[in-house]
Amino acid sequence: MILIEEAKYLAPSVKWFRLEAPDISLKAQPGQFVIVRAEEVGERIPLTIADFDGSRFIELVVQEVGEGTRKINSLKKGDYFLNVAGPLGHPSEIDNFGTVALVGGGIGIAPIYPIARAMKQAQNKVIVIIGTRTKELVFWEEKLHSVSDRVIVCTDDGSYGIKGVVTVPLNELLESGERIDRVVAIGPAIMMKFVAVTTQPYHVKTIVSLNSLMLDGTGMCGCCRVEVGGKTKFACVDGPAFDAHQVDFELLLDRMDIYKNEEHLCQLAGKV
Amino acid sequence: MKKRPPRQGMPKQEPSVRARNFKEVALGYTEEMAVAEASRCLQCKDKPCIAGCPVEIDIPAFIKKVSESDFEGAARILKQKNALPAVCGRVCPQEDQCEKVCVLGKKDEPVAIGRLERFVADWEAEHLKGEATSAMEKVWERRETPGGVAIVGSGPAGLTLAGDLAKLGYRVVIFEAFHKPGGVLMYGIPEFRLPKAIVEREIEYVKSLGVEIKTDYVIGRILTIDDLFRDGFDAVYVATGAGLPKFMGIPGENLSGVYSANEFLTRSNLMKAYRFPEYKTPLKIGKKVAVVGGGNVAMDAARTALRLGADEVHLIYRRSRTEMPARIEEVENAGEEGIIFHYLTNPVRIIGGVKENARGQWVRAIECIRMELGEPDESGRRSPIPISGSEFIMPVDIVIIAIGTGANPLLSSTTKDLPIDIRGYIVIEPETGRTSKEGVWAGGDIVTGSATVIEAMGAARRAARSIHEYISQKRAVLKTRIT
């Protein structure tokens, strides 16, 4: 049982949690994730760690996409997560690369933050691009400003910042001739796929953090297998970060959709 | 002289009924049956059964108590040596161990030791709620703790070692990666063969001995082995299980609808997908299921698929029935329930296609090739050779790969001085379970590769002795230095 110290909605259906989890906080590094359960009958849900202080707490940002995440977001300050296991996965590779562009889409904005902070500490020039469907879904813009040189915001409907998806400003940045040494993208699989397509012609090393379905998160079940460079990898223990230009995104998208109909059934059952 | 009664058969649910429910297949002996079976024991002098038991239960002694209808007395004897008797009575391969060497078995059928063990454990739980034996063990509470032991993994090996050392007064903490303790007993073995309430009951017994279990602790990530020593533990026992599913490396294995047995069984057993949507974890079944493999895990996966509603479940095994590693009893159970066996058959690729209302490529069929048996290989079993041109296609919607597991590198990769062999298994001294890393022991599948519950428990029993000796010596030295 893990206590929720603070919780609030950052945007409609996007909720932020600060959890009292000293053991996890102590070991957490940017890019790692936890697996949580909100209730006894609940699924095990992997969530990337959004922030941590290295001694006392971790933070998570959860978007309601189905029954399980809706249950999580019904939890309030003073409630408990039934289970939180982590930190899991390899940490992001942090080094002095030069100039890095960090791309966060939707809920993927949150895990970009600790990576930006670490990249900044490693003396990189940090450019952050964040994108959502519409203005009210944008969060942590100020927080990201504090750990980067530049923050570019875009919305699909143009209600805030640049009109368009994240690849629009990313492409402009690459075309502008500014040297970009590395791109890190976290967000919906389809966004990460198009980030990979965008950076490929420029031969910029691009890392994506894959949000595969998982059970145990320790390499025991193979549920999260992905193909990277033609080889089968487990996102939970070999990743979650991989070279975007090597990832088979079609397979990832297919496998993420395996239980689409069951998710629907679950929602129906939840409403009865 | 009174005529010896025949070996008492095990009452079971009817195959046609049980193939569609998750209730336990074997129903257990009645008191009368247990007494009758126990009376068959010769109480011979040599007691080969004890040596045949990896945890050295005093088998004739507990059976004698059963024959006298002293079931409480029988339970006490069992639990002296075995913290998990209701589990072992159900899943041990007795036919290869205690019952194999039973003297009675030379001319007649051996005493049904496993069924008696199960009866006694269940009787104790039902009539005494386990109190008789746990009260007996409560001595530890009044004792000075001789040291602390951390155990990584709460499966059969971890629980056995925990029980043994807790009884000796040690502070024992088990770290479990999942949200529930039990390891393979919880995620791997299905409800119909080992009800989870029984596993939970035996874990409660181990906890009643003073063992602390920390769930959601993935050692190697949240804490390393060296962190555990820093936190004051005197010894660490690594019992993480094998835990890395093997795939065949054939085309189509990553298609939607292909599962590892680990994933399939974990969804059903631990996450209770068989009670979806009450439990939220889903599982795909389809009409035709192919299970690849011939071990106990393959049988479990096949029989689970049937119970989840598959019309046909095909089990594909590359050798013949004789070489099959699964327990005979489980193969028979599976056959009675309607599993269709394809011996001397091996998959060569999984074929995908578009499915209605679903994205991307789904399993549509599995292509197999017929095999014949050649010369024996290093395992002593005749090795299967493909018969060229014998390929055929079997239409299926789900494929479950149950061809074994490899060593999970998560812990060894974060503990550089932990000795592992080229396949990733931890290297130990066989007699003690001790590794070359100071203060670290290991046992169970992470040492041996996939084996049985009782073998893991036997290894833990030997390691417990060695750890006790090690800590006693270490403390004695400390004491002399101080005084």
Side-chain angles (χ1 to χ4, degrees), chain B residues 215-398:
Chain B
T215 52
D216 298 315
Y217 267 73
V218 181
I219 303 301
R221 291 275 188 240
I222 192 163
L223 292 168
T224 61
I225 289 180
D226 292 321
D227 289 335
L228 294 170
F229 287 120
R230 189 203 56 205
D231 290 349
F233 289 103
D234 297 281
V236 175
Y237 186 62
V238 180
T240 51
L244 190 75
K246 277 188 191 157
F247 288 92
M248 302 189 67
I250 57 174
E253 254 179 328
N254 292 333
L255 287 169
S256 297
V258 182
Y259 288 99
S260 74
N262 272 3
E263 180 185 355
F264 188 81
L265 290 171
T266 301
R267 284 182 180 272
S268 180
N269 299 332
L270 179 73
M271 305 309 294
K272 299 203 186 308
Y274 69 92
R275 287 165 67 180
F276 179 88
E278 178 198 356
Y279 282 78
K280 312 294 182 196
T281 302
L283 185 52
K284 287 281 180 187
I285 273 304
K287 292 192 164 62
K288 287 190 180 184
V289 178
V291 178
V292 183
N296 288 319
V297 173
M299 299 303 142
D300 285 346
R303 297 169 73 196
T304 297
L306 201 63
R307 283 160 173 78
L308 285 165
D311 292 344
E312 284 176 20
V313 180
H314 298 264
L315 193 128
I316 299 169
Y317 180 55
R318 62 190 181 140
R319 291 181 162 103
S320 73
R321 178 158 178 167
T322 326
E323 290 81 24
M324 227 173 191
R327 288 184 74 185
I328 301 158
E329 189 186 339
E330 301 307 334
V331 179
E332 284 171 2
N333 280 337
E336 283 173 14
E337 288 165 16
I339 305 295
I340 304 157
F341 289 83
H342 302 263
Y343 297 109
L344 292 166
T345 304
N346 206 28
V348 289
R349 69 177 169 130
I350 302 166
I351 301 162
V354 182
K355 192 171 151 180
E356 211 180 317
N357 298 323
R359 190 200 144 87
Q361 293 278 305
W362 279 76
V363 171
R364 193 165 55 82
I366 186 164
E367 183 177 330
C368 299
I369 190 164
R370 303 276 183 212
M371 313 290 275
E372 59 189 350
L373 291 178
E375 295 301 310
D377 63 10
E378 67 273 17
S379 73
R381 293 179 300 176
R382 294 177 64 193
S383 56
I385 303 160
I387 303 170
S388 66
S390 68
E391 291 88 349
F392 66 100
I393 286 171
M394 193 191 288
V396 291
D397 334 275
I398 294 289

Side-chain angles (χ1 to χ4, degrees), chain A residues 1 23-24 26-27 32 35 37 39-44 67 82-91 213-227 231-232 234 236-237 239 249-251 253-255 257-263 265-266 269-270, chain B residues 177-180 187 214-218 221-224 227 230 242-245 247 252-264 266-267 270-272 276-285 355-362 401 405 408-410 413:
Chain A
M1 300 274 275
D23 289 356
I24 300 174
L26 205 60
K27 283 292 169 83
Q32 290 189 298
I35 289 189
R37 282 201 327 153
E39 55 176 340
E40 189 51 41
V41 296
E43 282 189 79
R44 291 171 63 88
E67 179 70 12
L82 188 56
N83 306 98
V84 181
L88 299 169
H90 288 295
L213 303 179
M214 290 182 191
L215 268 184
D216 61 294
T218 64
M220 191 278 276
C221 82
C223 170
C224 64
R225 56 198 194 277
V226 290
E227 281 179 26
K231 291 205 173 82
T232 297
F234 290 0
C236 66
V237 286
F249 282 103
E250 287 310 308
L251 181 72
L253 285 159
D254 285 354
R255 291 193 59 89
D257 254 21
I258 291 176
Y259 299 108
K260 207 171 182 180
N261 297 337
E262 283 75 8
E263 178 62 50
L265 270 177
C266 226
Chain B
F178 265 131
H179 55 270
K180 276 200 166 68
Y187 76 73
K214 287 179 135 170
T215 52
D216 298 315
Y217 267 73
V218 181
R221 291 275 188 240
I222 192 163
L223 292 168
T224 61
D227 289 335
R230 189 203 56 205
L244 190 75
F247 288 92
E253 254 179 328
N254 292 333
L255 287 169
S256 297
V258 182
Y259 288 99
S260 74
N262 272 3
E263 180 185 355
F264 188 81
T266 301
R267 284 182 180 272
L270 179 73
M271 305 309 294
K272 299 203 186 308
F276 179 88
E278 178 198 356
Y279 282 78
K280 312 294 182 196
T281 302
L283 185 52
K284 287 281 180 187
I285 273 304
K355 192 171 151 180
E356 211 180 317
N357 298 323
R359 190 200 144 87
Q361 293 278 305
W362 279 76
I401 309 288
T405 50
N408 190 317
L410 197 143
S413 66

Side-chain angles (χ1 to χ4, degrees), chain B residues 414-462:
Chain B
T414 55
T415 315
K416 294 295 177 201
D417 50 351
L418 192 66
I420 53 171
D421 68 16
I422 47 165
R423 294 178 304 161
Y425 294 109
I426 299 177
V427 179
I428 56 155
E429 278 177 15
E431 288 309 304
T432 59
R434 198 168 174 172
T435 72
S436 62
K437 182 172 166 66
E438 173 79 24
V440 179
W441 279 254
D445 283 2
I446 192 59
V447 169
T448 57
S450 309
T452 61
V453 166
I454 191 71
E455 284 170 294
M457 293 173 64
R461 167 68 34 82
R462 295 190 292 278

